Short mmCIF file of all heavy atoms in Angstrom, two decimals:
data_model
loop_
_atom_site.label_atom_id
_atom_site.label_comp_id
_atom_site.label_asym_id
_atom_site.label_seq_id
_atom_site.Cartn_x
_atom_site.Cartn_y
_atom_site.Cartn_z
N ASP A 465 33.32 95.04 217.11
CA ASP A 465 32.86 95.47 215.81
C ASP A 465 31.70 94.59 215.31
O ASP A 465 31.18 94.83 214.21
CB ASP A 465 33.99 95.37 214.76
CG ASP A 465 35.22 96.08 215.28
OD1 ASP A 465 35.06 96.93 216.16
OD2 ASP A 465 36.34 95.75 214.81
N ILE A 466 31.33 93.60 216.02
CA ILE A 466 30.40 92.59 215.52
C ILE A 466 29.08 92.72 216.27
O ILE A 466 29.06 92.76 217.50
CB ILE A 466 30.96 91.19 215.69
CG1 ILE A 466 32.28 91.10 214.89
CG2 ILE A 466 30.00 90.14 215.21
CD1 ILE A 466 33.12 89.94 215.29
N ASP A 467 27.97 92.76 215.50
CA ASP A 467 26.68 92.85 216.20
C ASP A 467 26.33 91.49 216.78
O ASP A 467 26.74 90.43 216.29
CB ASP A 467 25.60 93.39 215.28
CG ASP A 467 25.28 92.46 214.14
OD1 ASP A 467 26.15 92.39 213.22
OD2 ASP A 467 24.26 91.81 214.17
N LEU A 468 25.57 91.53 217.85
CA LEU A 468 25.29 90.32 218.62
C LEU A 468 24.57 89.25 217.79
O LEU A 468 24.80 88.07 217.94
CB LEU A 468 24.46 90.68 219.84
CG LEU A 468 25.27 91.04 221.10
CD1 LEU A 468 24.35 91.34 222.26
CD2 LEU A 468 26.24 89.92 221.46
N ALA A 469 23.68 89.69 216.92
CA ALA A 469 22.93 88.73 216.13
C ALA A 469 23.87 87.91 215.24
O ALA A 469 23.77 86.68 215.16
CB ALA A 469 21.89 89.44 215.28
N ALA A 470 24.83 88.60 214.60
CA ALA A 470 25.80 87.91 213.74
C ALA A 470 26.62 86.95 214.58
O ALA A 470 26.90 85.80 214.18
CB ALA A 470 26.69 88.92 213.03
N LEU A 471 27.03 87.43 215.75
CA LEU A 471 27.85 86.56 216.62
C LEU A 471 27.07 85.33 217.04
O LEU A 471 27.60 84.23 217.08
CB LEU A 471 28.28 87.37 217.86
CG LEU A 471 29.21 86.61 218.83
CD1 LEU A 471 30.51 86.25 218.15
CD2 LEU A 471 29.46 87.40 220.08
N ALA A 472 25.78 85.50 217.32
CA ALA A 472 24.95 84.36 217.72
C ALA A 472 24.90 83.32 216.62
O ALA A 472 25.06 82.12 216.88
CB ALA A 472 23.55 84.85 218.06
N ILE A 473 24.70 83.79 215.36
CA ILE A 473 24.65 82.83 214.26
C ILE A 473 26.00 82.14 214.10
O ILE A 473 26.10 80.91 213.99
CB ILE A 473 24.25 83.57 212.95
CG1 ILE A 473 22.85 84.14 213.10
CG2 ILE A 473 24.33 82.62 211.76
CD1 ILE A 473 22.47 85.13 212.03
N ALA A 474 27.08 82.96 214.11
CA ALA A 474 28.41 82.39 213.93
C ALA A 474 28.73 81.39 215.01
O ALA A 474 29.24 80.29 214.75
CB ALA A 474 29.44 83.52 213.90
N ALA A 475 28.41 81.73 216.25
CA ALA A 475 28.71 80.83 217.37
C ALA A 475 27.93 79.53 217.25
O ALA A 475 28.44 78.45 217.54
CB ALA A 475 28.42 81.52 218.70
N SER A 476 26.66 79.65 216.80
CA SER A 476 25.83 78.43 216.67
C SER A 476 26.40 77.51 215.62
O SER A 476 26.45 76.30 215.77
CB SER A 476 24.40 78.81 216.30
OG SER A 476 23.91 79.74 217.23
N ILE A 477 26.85 78.09 214.49
CA ILE A 477 27.44 77.27 213.43
C ILE A 477 28.74 76.68 213.94
O ILE A 477 29.04 75.49 213.79
CB ILE A 477 27.70 78.11 212.16
CG1 ILE A 477 26.35 78.63 211.60
CG2 ILE A 477 28.41 77.27 211.11
CD1 ILE A 477 26.52 79.55 210.41
N ALA A 478 29.55 77.52 214.59
CA ALA A 478 30.90 77.09 215.01
C ALA A 478 30.83 75.98 216.04
O ALA A 478 31.76 75.19 216.16
CB ALA A 478 31.66 78.29 215.56
N ALA A 479 29.72 75.88 216.79
CA ALA A 479 29.61 74.88 217.83
C ALA A 479 29.71 73.47 217.25
O ALA A 479 29.96 72.51 217.99
CB ALA A 479 28.28 75.04 218.56
N HIS A 480 29.57 73.35 215.93
CA HIS A 480 29.60 72.02 215.31
C HIS A 480 30.96 71.67 214.75
O HIS A 480 31.10 70.73 214.01
CB HIS A 480 28.52 71.93 214.23
CG HIS A 480 27.17 72.10 214.79
ND1 HIS A 480 26.41 71.06 215.25
CD2 HIS A 480 26.41 73.21 214.96
CE1 HIS A 480 25.26 71.51 215.70
NE2 HIS A 480 25.22 72.81 215.54
N SER A 481 31.97 72.49 215.06
CA SER A 481 33.28 72.24 214.45
C SER A 481 34.34 72.23 215.54
O SER A 481 34.18 72.85 216.59
CB SER A 481 33.57 73.31 213.41
OG SER A 481 34.96 73.40 213.21
N ARG A 482 35.46 71.57 215.29
CA ARG A 482 36.55 71.53 216.24
C ARG A 482 37.68 72.44 215.86
O ARG A 482 38.73 72.46 216.47
CB ARG A 482 37.10 70.10 216.35
CG ARG A 482 36.17 69.18 217.09
CD ARG A 482 36.74 67.79 217.09
NE ARG A 482 38.11 67.79 217.57
CZ ARG A 482 38.93 66.76 217.43
NH1 ARG A 482 38.53 65.71 216.80
NH2 ARG A 482 40.17 66.81 217.89
N HIS A 483 37.49 73.19 214.77
CA HIS A 483 38.54 74.08 214.31
C HIS A 483 38.85 75.12 215.39
O HIS A 483 37.96 75.55 216.09
CB HIS A 483 38.03 74.79 213.04
CG HIS A 483 39.08 75.50 212.30
ND1 HIS A 483 39.57 76.71 212.71
CD2 HIS A 483 39.78 75.19 211.18
CE1 HIS A 483 40.50 77.11 211.87
NE2 HIS A 483 40.66 76.19 210.93
N PRO A 484 40.13 75.51 215.54
CA PRO A 484 40.46 76.48 216.58
C PRO A 484 39.67 77.80 216.47
O PRO A 484 39.26 78.33 217.50
CB PRO A 484 41.95 76.76 216.31
CG PRO A 484 42.44 75.58 215.61
CD PRO A 484 41.30 75.00 214.84
N TYR A 485 39.41 78.26 215.24
CA TYR A 485 38.63 79.46 215.07
C TYR A 485 37.21 79.24 215.60
O TYR A 485 36.64 80.11 216.27
CB TYR A 485 38.51 79.85 213.58
CG TYR A 485 39.78 80.39 212.99
CD1 TYR A 485 40.03 80.30 211.61
CD2 TYR A 485 40.74 81.02 213.77
CE1 TYR A 485 41.18 80.80 211.05
CE2 TYR A 485 41.90 81.53 213.23
CZ TYR A 485 42.12 81.41 211.86
OH TYR A 485 43.25 81.90 211.32
N SER A 486 36.66 78.07 215.30
CA SER A 486 35.29 77.78 215.77
C SER A 486 35.23 77.79 217.29
O SER A 486 34.32 78.32 217.88
CB SER A 486 34.86 76.42 215.26
OG SER A 486 34.90 76.40 213.84
N ARG A 487 36.24 77.19 217.90
CA ARG A 487 36.23 77.12 219.36
C ARG A 487 36.28 78.52 219.92
O ARG A 487 35.63 78.83 220.91
CB ARG A 487 37.43 76.34 219.85
CG ARG A 487 37.29 74.86 219.56
CD ARG A 487 38.39 74.09 220.21
NE ARG A 487 38.29 72.69 219.88
CZ ARG A 487 39.19 71.78 220.27
NH1 ARG A 487 40.23 72.17 220.98
NH2 ARG A 487 39.04 70.54 219.94
N ALA A 488 37.07 79.41 219.28
CA ALA A 488 37.17 80.76 219.76
C ALA A 488 35.83 81.48 219.63
O ALA A 488 35.42 82.25 220.50
CB ALA A 488 38.26 81.53 218.98
N LEU A 489 35.13 81.22 218.51
CA LEU A 489 33.83 81.84 218.30
C LEU A 489 32.83 81.36 219.34
O LEU A 489 32.04 82.13 219.89
CB LEU A 489 33.29 81.51 216.90
CG LEU A 489 33.79 82.44 215.79
CD1 LEU A 489 33.29 81.92 214.43
CD2 LEU A 489 33.25 83.84 216.02
N VAL A 490 32.86 80.05 219.61
CA VAL A 490 31.95 79.50 220.60
C VAL A 490 32.21 80.15 221.96
O VAL A 490 31.29 80.57 222.67
CB VAL A 490 32.09 77.97 220.69
CG1 VAL A 490 31.28 77.41 221.85
CG2 VAL A 490 31.65 77.33 219.38
N ALA A 491 33.50 80.28 222.29
CA ALA A 491 33.85 80.89 223.58
C ALA A 491 33.36 82.34 223.62
O ALA A 491 32.83 82.79 224.65
CB ALA A 491 35.36 80.84 223.78
N ALA A 492 33.53 83.06 222.52
CA ALA A 492 33.10 84.45 222.49
C ALA A 492 31.57 84.52 222.65
O ALA A 492 31.06 85.37 223.35
CB ALA A 492 33.51 85.11 221.16
N GLY A 493 30.86 83.58 221.99
CA GLY A 493 29.43 83.56 222.12
C GLY A 493 29.00 83.30 223.57
O GLY A 493 28.09 83.94 224.08
N ARG A 494 29.73 82.40 224.21
CA ARG A 494 29.38 82.07 225.60
C ARG A 494 29.65 83.28 226.48
O ARG A 494 28.84 83.59 227.36
CB ARG A 494 30.24 80.88 226.05
CG ARG A 494 29.64 80.11 227.18
CD ARG A 494 30.41 78.85 227.46
NE ARG A 494 31.84 79.06 227.35
CZ ARG A 494 32.66 78.29 226.66
NH1 ARG A 494 32.19 77.26 226.00
NH2 ARG A 494 33.95 78.56 226.61
N ASP A 495 30.76 83.96 226.26
CA ASP A 495 31.10 85.11 227.08
C ASP A 495 30.04 86.19 226.96
O ASP A 495 29.81 86.96 227.89
CB ASP A 495 32.46 85.66 226.70
CG ASP A 495 33.57 84.69 227.06
OD1 ASP A 495 33.27 83.77 227.84
OD2 ASP A 495 34.69 84.86 226.56
N ASN A 496 29.47 86.34 225.76
CA ASN A 496 28.48 87.38 225.55
C ASN A 496 27.05 86.88 225.75
O ASN A 496 26.10 87.57 225.44
CB ASN A 496 28.64 87.98 224.16
CG ASN A 496 29.92 88.75 224.05
OD1 ASN A 496 30.06 89.82 224.59
ND2 ASN A 496 30.90 88.16 223.37
N ALA A 497 26.95 85.65 226.22
CA ALA A 497 25.64 85.06 226.55
C ALA A 497 24.65 85.18 225.41
O ALA A 497 23.49 85.59 225.60
CB ALA A 497 25.08 85.69 227.82
N VAL A 498 25.08 84.88 224.19
CA VAL A 498 24.14 84.92 223.06
C VAL A 498 23.26 83.69 223.10
O VAL A 498 23.67 82.62 223.58
CB VAL A 498 24.89 84.98 221.71
CG1 VAL A 498 25.67 86.26 221.61
CG2 VAL A 498 25.75 83.77 221.52
N THR A 499 22.03 83.82 222.58
CA THR A 499 21.14 82.66 222.53
C THR A 499 21.43 81.87 221.26
O THR A 499 21.49 82.46 220.19
CB THR A 499 19.67 83.11 222.49
OG1 THR A 499 19.66 84.52 222.37
CG2 THR A 499 18.93 82.68 223.73
N PRO A 500 21.59 80.58 221.36
CA PRO A 500 21.86 79.77 220.18
C PRO A 500 20.69 79.84 219.20
O PRO A 500 19.55 79.96 219.58
CB PRO A 500 22.04 78.36 220.73
CG PRO A 500 22.29 78.54 222.18
CD PRO A 500 21.62 79.79 222.58
N VAL A 501 21.04 79.76 217.91
CA VAL A 501 20.04 79.83 216.86
C VAL A 501 19.85 78.41 216.30
O VAL A 501 20.83 77.65 216.21
CB VAL A 501 20.55 80.75 215.73
CG1 VAL A 501 19.46 81.00 214.70
CG2 VAL A 501 21.03 82.06 216.30
N ALA A 502 18.62 78.06 215.95
CA ALA A 502 18.36 76.76 215.37
C ALA A 502 18.82 76.73 213.93
O ALA A 502 18.48 77.62 213.13
CB ALA A 502 16.88 76.42 215.48
N LEU A 503 19.58 75.73 213.57
CA LEU A 503 20.17 75.66 212.23
C LEU A 503 19.64 74.44 211.48
O LEU A 503 19.29 73.42 212.05
CB LEU A 503 21.69 75.54 212.31
CG LEU A 503 22.42 76.59 213.11
CD1 LEU A 503 23.84 76.15 213.36
CD2 LEU A 503 22.39 77.91 212.38
N ASN A 504 19.61 74.55 210.13
CA ASN A 504 19.28 73.39 209.31
C ASN A 504 20.41 73.14 208.31
O ASN A 504 21.21 74.03 208.03
CB ASN A 504 17.98 73.66 208.53
CG ASN A 504 16.80 73.81 209.46
OD1 ASN A 504 16.66 73.02 210.39
ND2 ASN A 504 16.02 74.85 209.24
N ASP A 505 20.41 71.94 207.74
CA ASP A 505 21.31 71.59 206.64
C ASP A 505 22.77 71.98 206.92
O ASP A 505 23.44 72.59 206.08
CB ASP A 505 20.87 72.28 205.32
CG ASP A 505 19.45 71.92 204.99
OD1 ASP A 505 19.03 70.82 205.39
OD2 ASP A 505 18.75 72.75 204.37
#
Side-chain angles (χ1 to χ4, degrees):
Chain A
D465 309 338
I466 300 163
D467 65 287
L468 272 182
L471 183 63
I473 297 168
S476 307
I477 297 176
H480 298 272
S481 158
R482 287 176 52 194
H483 193 282
Y485 288 155
S486 301
R487 289 188 184 176
L489 274 175
V490 172
R494 203 172 41 229
D495 292 345
N496 292 288
V498 296
T499 7
V501 187
L503 306 167
N504 295 316
D505 303 332

